[in-house]
């Protein structure tokens, strides 16, 4: 399959997710272009985190198809029909995606360096020296060259989150997912993590999807804002437009509420 | 919990007491036989414990992640060996199994029974410890595209092991005490030697006091060993916790 820039990096087509009788994602259609930076915002329970989790295959979807670079993520095409994919297919497509979590989820029994070396060695089969080199470079990039041999519990929240970003990048993903990555941090540590993300944004090839409550950052950083409400995108647009002139009443309500809180 | 130092002091005291007593009559005459028996007890406890860990880990993994038939098998194993008496299990393997054409040496029967019995309890410890590893660890490993096996081996088990060590220590001590049962299937362990000597000399107080102290010394040694292992296993995890 030949891919051009016009093929979306990620496309949700009629994706539905239910927890029991509760529908959290309701027939979502959503396409993200190569290198695009999209911020997902919305009230809690609106389904924005679920969107990231489905894309990372942490949640099974109940309907629809997620496409990654024109290839179905959880399905394969067989005889013109889409059937559920096996583990090998899932792993191959999932390899294009990396994720950073709200609570870091670093491996507590490994140093910062080892955290970043583990998957490149076990999953990608990188030799040790190469994995160490890559990990050291990335830790340097996130400003933690001096903390290589520290265990997660010896690092501040902001430092841990930066290690987590380096760890995800070590797998060379094409899409990075950020799930409320500053929400668990003390206010004075938020800036250092956002700075790292800004730096990543300069890499035009990396597609980024972030769930965030940092409206200021979303406005400055994202190419597009998507406002979620009850499992659907209620309104989306370029940041200036979205924040400057929101069309939807719910969007206006939400923005008033969060901006008042600041 | 008691510190490792105070346990070491207790161990030294019980060993000193055994050594002191063994130079005086009538203890001196019993000592060589009891040492021989104690060595057998230690060997059975060691091999039995090793098997218990193997059975426990295998049963827990089978129950959690195995295909359905294997899950049922693990479940049945755990319930049967936890739910029946160790003595009956021992007799069954020793006296009944030969009727099915399988005759095992007494030592094999002893370590197999103890291993299977304690392993059934151990399986639940392993399962609980794996379950106690935060879900975020699984999710992070999935996001890094690891396979189930890689996650377990590299991420989950190393963390779960730390939580498993103290309860396993308890089980090893239970196993040590249960080794006395094997004297009933012709093995000359510590309990067997003690009974044998008691029947010929009737020095009940002396013999069983010594035996008590020897069992205590072995169990204290196990406790110390487990503490050392715990310290080594939790190095990365504990280092930060102290800060």
């Amino acid at each position: 399959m030949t891919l051009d820039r016009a093929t979306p990096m990620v496309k949700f087509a009629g994706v539905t997710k239910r927890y029991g009788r509760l529908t959290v994602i309701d027939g979502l259609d959503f396409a993200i272009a190569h290198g695009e930076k999209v911020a997902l915002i919305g009230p809690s329970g609106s389904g924005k985190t679920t969107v990231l989790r489905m894309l990372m295959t942490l949640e099974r979807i109940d309907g629809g198809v997620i496409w990654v670079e024109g290839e179905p993520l959880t399905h394969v095409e067989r005889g013109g029909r889409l059937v559920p994919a096996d583990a090998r297919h899932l792993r191959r497509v999932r390899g294009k995606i990396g994720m950073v979590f709200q609570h870091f989820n670093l491996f507590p029994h490994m140093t910062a360096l080892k955290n970043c070396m583990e998957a490149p060695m076990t999953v990608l089969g990188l030799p040790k020296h190469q994995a160490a080199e890559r990990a050291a470079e990335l830790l340097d990039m996130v400003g933690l060259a001096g903390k290589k041999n520290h265990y997660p519990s010896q690092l501040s929240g902001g430092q841990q989150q930066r290690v987590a970003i380096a760890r995800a990048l070590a797998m060379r993903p094409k899409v990075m997912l950020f799930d409320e990555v500053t929400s668990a941090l003390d206010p004075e540590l938020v800036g250092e993590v956002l700075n790292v993300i800004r730096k990543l944004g300069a890499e035009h090839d990396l597609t980024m999807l972030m769930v965030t409550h940092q409206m200021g950052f979303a406005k400055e950083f994202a190419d597009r804002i998507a406002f979620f409400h009850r499992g659907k995108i209620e309104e989306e647009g370029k940041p200036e437009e979205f924040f400057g002139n929101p069309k939807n009443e719910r969007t206006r309500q939400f923005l008033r509420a969060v901006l008042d809180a600041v | 919990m008691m510190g490792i130092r105070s346990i070491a002091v207790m161990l030294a005291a019980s060993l000193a007491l055994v050594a002191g007593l063994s130079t005086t009559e009538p203890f001196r005459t019993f000592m060589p036989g009891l040492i021989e028996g104690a060595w057998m007890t230690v060997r059975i406890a060691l091999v039995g414990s090793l098997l218990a860990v193997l059975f426990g880990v295998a049963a827990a993994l089978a129950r959690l992640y195995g295909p359905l038939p294997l899950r049922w098998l693990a479940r049945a194993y755990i319930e049967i060996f936890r739910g029946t008496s160790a003595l009956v299990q021992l007799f069954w393997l020793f006296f009944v199994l030969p009727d099915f054409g399988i005759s095992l040496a007494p030592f094999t029967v002893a370590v197999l029974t103890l291993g299977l019995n304690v392993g059934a309890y151990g399986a639940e410890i392993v399962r609980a410890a794996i379950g106690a590893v935060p879900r975020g660890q699984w999710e992070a490993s999935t996001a890094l595209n690891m396979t189930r096996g890689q996650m377990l081996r590299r991420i989950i088990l190393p963390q779960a092991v730390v939580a498993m060590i103290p309860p396993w220590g308890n089980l090893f001590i239970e196993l040590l005490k249960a080794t006395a049962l094997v004297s009933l299937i012709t093995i000359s362990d510590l309990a067997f030697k003690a009974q044998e000597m008691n029947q010929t000399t009737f020095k009940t107080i002396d013999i069983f006091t010594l035996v008590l102290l020897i069992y205590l010394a072995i169990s204290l040694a196990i406790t110390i060993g487990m503490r050392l292992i715990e310290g080594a296993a939790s190095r990365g995890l504990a280092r930060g916790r102290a800060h």
Side-chain angles (χ1 to χ4, degrees):
Chain A
M1 202 186 314
T2 52
L3 286 168
D4 51 89
R5 288 258 147 188
T7 308
M9 187 68 221
V10 174
K11 194 172 105 189
F12 292 83
V15 173
T16 298
K17 170 74 194 172
R18 293 184 207 94
Y19 292 118
R21 290 169 66 187
L22 181 74
T23 302
V24 285
I25 297 294
D26 190 4
L28 176 70
D29 292 309
F30 185 33
I32 300 108
H34 273 266
E36 197 182 8
K37 279 74 174 150
V38 182
L40 314 186
I41 65 170
S44 68
S46 61
K48 52 201 193 307
T49 285
T50 307
V51 170
L52 298 195
R53 293 175 58 82
M54 290 188 305
L55 183 51
M56 196 66 258
T57 70
L58 298 175
E59 304 283 353
R60 194 185 285 275
I61 60 176
D62 298 308
V65 180
I66 301 174
W67 300 80
V68 177
E69 280 192 306
E71 208 178 2
L73 171 66
T74 53
H75 297 73
V76 281
E77 284 180 283
R78 197 169 293 148
R81 287 179 54 222
L82 290 177
V83 294
D86 58 7
R88 244 183 70 206
H89 172 89
L90 201 63
R91 291 190 69 224
R92 193 171 53 76
V93 182
R94 183 166 55 203
K96 299 175 179 176
I97 304 164
M99 184 163 179
V100 183
F101 299 86
Q102 181 177 358
H103 296 287
F104 331 135
N105 298 351
L106 290 179
F107 305 134
H109 57 304
M110 296 180 185
T111 62
L113 191 76
K114 287 275 164 62
N115 261 280
C116 300
M117 289 169 65
E118 181 59 35
M121 285 171 69
T122 53
V123 178
L124 305 179
L126 241 58
K128 195 173 179 181
H129 67 274
Q130 230 172 305
E133 208 173 293
R134 185 185 285 193
E137 256 170 44
L138 286 166
L139 285 174
D140 190 33
M141 197 271 283
V142 300
L144 291 172
K147 303 282 183 188
K148 268 191 278 204
N149 298 317
H150 284 56
Y151 284 91
S153 48
Q154 297 169 305
L155 300 172
S156 72
Q159 291 169 334
Q160 287 189 56
Q161 196 58 296
R162 286 186 280 153
V163 174
I165 293 172
R167 178 176 71 173
L169 290 172
M171 297 299 283
R172 303 264 157 96
K174 296 184 169 179
V175 184
M176 277 284 276
L177 311 178
F178 297 89
D179 184 16
E180 298 194 32
V181 294
T182 58
S183 297
L185 297 177
D186 290 336
E188 77 272 19
L189 302 177
V190 169
E192 63 188 62
V193 172
L194 294 183
N195 278 335
V196 167
I197 298 175
R198 269 188 200 101
K199 212 157 145 188
L200 280 180
E203 283 186 43
H204 299 292
D205 260 359
L206 193 61
T207 306
M208 291 162 79
L209 264 172
M210 64 180 67
V211 169
T212 184
H213 294 295
Q214 305 277 332
M215 293 306 142
F217 184 71
K219 191 174 178 178
E220 156 220 327
F221 183 79
D223 301 319
R224 181 154 56 116
I225 312 284
F227 172 70
F228 276 77
H229 184 79
R230 294 201 179 153
K232 282 186 164 157
I233 296 179
E234 193 80 30
E235 180 168 357
E236 59 179 321
K238 291 196 182 310
E240 318 81 66
E241 229 175 85
F242 180 90
F243 286 106
N245 183 24
K247 307 206 167 34
N248 190 293
E249 177 51 32
R250 283 209 190 85
T251 315
R252 267 179 255 149
Q253 265 175 19
F254 175 76
L255 289 178
R256 258 199 309 276
V258 290
L259 295 176
D260 279 354
V262 176
Chain B
M1 224 192 254
M2 228 187 286
I4 195 162
R5 263 197 216 114
S6 43
I7 300 166
V9 170
M10 277 176 76
L11 174 59
S14 50
L15 285 176
L17 204 53
V18 172
L21 288 174
S22 66
T23 57
T24 61
E25 289 299 347
F27 298 102
R28 193 164 56 179
T29 30
F30 306 130
M31 219 37 212
L34 289 182
I35 295 285
E36 214 178 289
W39 176 230
M40 177 56 88
T41 293
V42 167
R43 274 166 57 208
I44 290 174
L46 275 178
V47 180
S49 298
L50 197 72
L51 289 176
V53 172
L54 286 178
F55 293 139
V57 172
L61 292 182
R63 185 167 170 192
L64 284 170
Y65 310 114
L68 209 56
L70 209 59
R71 258 181 236 198
W72 279 90
L73 198 70
R75 189 102 195 237
Y77 155 65
I78 293 167
E79 294 308 333
I80 289 169
F81 277 87
R82 276 198 320 180
T84 59
S85 141
L87 181 67
V88 178
Q89 291 163 16
L90 189 74
F91 282 180
W92 203 88
L93 259 68
F94 194 66
F95 296 117
V96 181
L97 218 48
D99 283 352
F100 293 97
I102 305 169
S103 289
L104 302 170
F107 184 86
T108 312
V109 170
V111 294
L112 210 56
T113 308
L114 292 171
L116 284 168
N117 182 272
V118 173
Y121 289 94
E124 294 297 279
I125 289 176
V126 173
R127 197 167 70 100
I130 290 175
V133 175
R135 200 176 55 149
Q137 295 290 308
W138 290 98
E139 294 185 346
S141 333
T142 305
L144 291 168
N145 216 2
M146 293 185 176
T147 62
R148 223 347 147 45
Q150 287 168 342
M151 288 178 207
L152 264 177
R153 224 177 41 250
R154 304 284 308 167
I155 309 301
I156 305 301
L157 285 178
Q159 295 180 58
V161 158
V162 181
M164 283 179 212
I165 293 169
W168 269 111
N170 283 336
L171 282 190
F172 292 155
I173 290 171
E174 288 295 327
L175 190 147
L176 167 72
K177 294 186 293 185
T179 56
L181 294 176
V182 308
S183 59
L184 298 169
I185 57 163
T186 74
I187 295 178
S188 302
D189 74 323
L190 186 53
F192 182 91
K193 287 280 185 193
Q195 294 227 37
E196 193 182 51
M197 288 174 185
N198 185 42
Q199 272 156 23
T200 51
T201 65
F202 298 106
K203 298 275 187 200
T204 310
I205 297 175
D206 310 309
I207 291 167
F208 283 102
T209 304
L210 259 184
V211 166
L212 203 78
L213 284 169
I214 295 172
Y215 272 118
L216 177 64
I218 300 172
S219 118
L220 289 171
I222 291 175
T223 304
I224 291 174
M226 294 307 284
R227 286 294 171 84
L228 294 177
I229 293 172
E230 194 184 350
S234 60
R235 199 162 291 148
L237 298 172
R239 190 179 297 179
R241 259 186 229 144
H243 285 256

